[in-house]
Amino acid sequence: YPDAVRTFSSILNFISRMRQYHTKSYQYDQINKMGDRMYALLAMCHALSPSRLDDNIMSVIRERFGDQYNRMVRGGPDGQTVFHELFTYACPKFISANPPPYHDPDLLQLYIAEPPLEPAQRHEAIFLADVRTLTSVPTLRSFLKLYKSLDTKRLAGLFVDPERDDADAADAEEALIQQMMVLKLASRSVSRSDAGSSSAVPKDVGVHLGGSVVSTNDLDFVIDDNMVHIVESTVGRRFAGWFIRNAEHTQRVLDNIKSSPLPVAKPAAAAATAAAAAAPEQTSKPGKTVAWGGAKS
């Protein structure tokens, strides 16, 4: 999911910058439709793997899929329904890698009588199975953010009925530890990195199916003798890229202004200005000063 989030973000940033140049293109509507589907896929990936996104992209996601995004983040059966809707709307065109068994008539008849699932349905079933395993992750993460350290028994009491017996309490504590292991696994993902950047990078890093395991969550914890110790790392916002982009844009505008020619006055206007400057000033005839109110002249 981190690689998908990074790829979708870079593509959508490029589309938003270049959209003004494609308004008269015959592919403008197709570009907009593809961009909407990519925003839906990015919303699903970001709900499963939270990370810091560009402010413009995040505002578009909240504008178009605000309610659906919040339901996916909360998880539960309602969130699974939203995952199903967005995946059906935005998934690519899948194809089957196995052709029908034309070489065997019996198998071909069986294939026609009981056709296999469509590729899109098969991929959706695999994706939703992964989503169902992460149903309790958002709730558990929200509870862990409230503490620095606490007992597993106390943490398990936040999920179940407090009037349970001791046997149910032991089962709830064991189920909680399993959910925490799911959260730990969900916060680790294989991310692709550039090969050759360091001599210590493994050989399989940089290939299409290789990469290194990275943490995708700002929350980490360890369990030591039924005590959970939580550490939350907050990454500060990075303003360097924003300032660099705006400084480059300002420099381009200033260069365009400097390279533009000065405005030239029109010939008629220039002649009228010269004639008005060369004409002698007209003096008014002297006359008697008449006071206001009607004095005799």
Side-chain angles (χ1 to χ4, degrees), residues 103-251:
H103 60 281
D104 192 337
D106 297 336
L107 293 179
L108 183 60
Q109 292 298 328
L110 182 61
Y111 182 89
I112 296 174
E114 298 179 0
L117 290 176
E118 292 293 328
Q121 297 177 356
R122 187 181 303 111
H123 283 79
E124 180 186 358
I126 296 173
F127 174 71
L128 293 180
D130 186 24
V131 171
R132 281 191 292 270
T133 60
L134 305 177
T135 302
S136 61
V137 167
T139 305
L140 181 58
R141 185 190 293 117
S142 63
F143 280 126
L144 290 178
K145 286 186 176 182
L146 302 176
Y147 300 92
K148 295 295 183 181
S149 62
L150 77 163
D151 189 3
T152 55
K153 184 177 181 180
R154 181 181 177 185
L155 182 59
L158 301 175
F159 289 88
V160 295
D161 187 6
E163 297 181 357
R164 64 193 182 280
D165 53 14
D166 295 338
D168 293 338
D171 295 339
E173 187 174 355
E174 184 66 25
L176 172 67
I177 294 177
Q178 294 178 3
Q179 294 178 7
M180 296 183 70
M181 293 299 102
V182 172
L183 175 59
K184 176 76 74 171
L185 181 62
S187 62
R188 300 288 187 272
S189 178
V190 178
S191 178
R192 184 174 182 271
S193 58
D194 296 331
S197 59
S198 174
S199 59
V201 177
K203 295 182 179 180
D204 60 341
V205 175
V207 298
H208 294 292
L209 299 180
S212 57
V213 179
V214 297
S215 177
T216 60
N217 193 4
D218 57 354
L219 185 72
D220 199 4
F221 61 90
V222 294
I223 302 177
D224 183 16
D225 195 13
N226 293 334
M227 283 295 296
V228 183
H229 303 277
I230 303 102
V231 176
E232 184 177 3
S233 60
T234 304
V235 180
R237 299 185 62 182
R238 298 179 179 179
F239 299 98
W242 185 87
F243 280 110
I244 290 174
R245 289 194 301 269
N246 284 271
E248 291 176 350
H249 176 69
T250 305
Q251 186 64 37

Side-chain angles (χ1 to χ4, degrees), residues 50-85:
S51 59
R52 185 171 296 278
L53 284 179
D54 186 81
D55 294 337
N56 296 329
I57 293 180
M58 198 64 201
S59 62
V60 174
I61 291 177
R62 294 190 179 279
E63 178 183 354
R64 299 182 183 180
F65 308 101
D67 181 57
Q68 295 170 314
Y69 176 78
N70 293 331
R71 289 159 61 188
M72 288 189 296
V73 170
R74 287 195 298 265
D78 194 17
Q80 296 179 19
T81 304
V82 178
F83 276 111
H84 166 70
E85 295 174 356

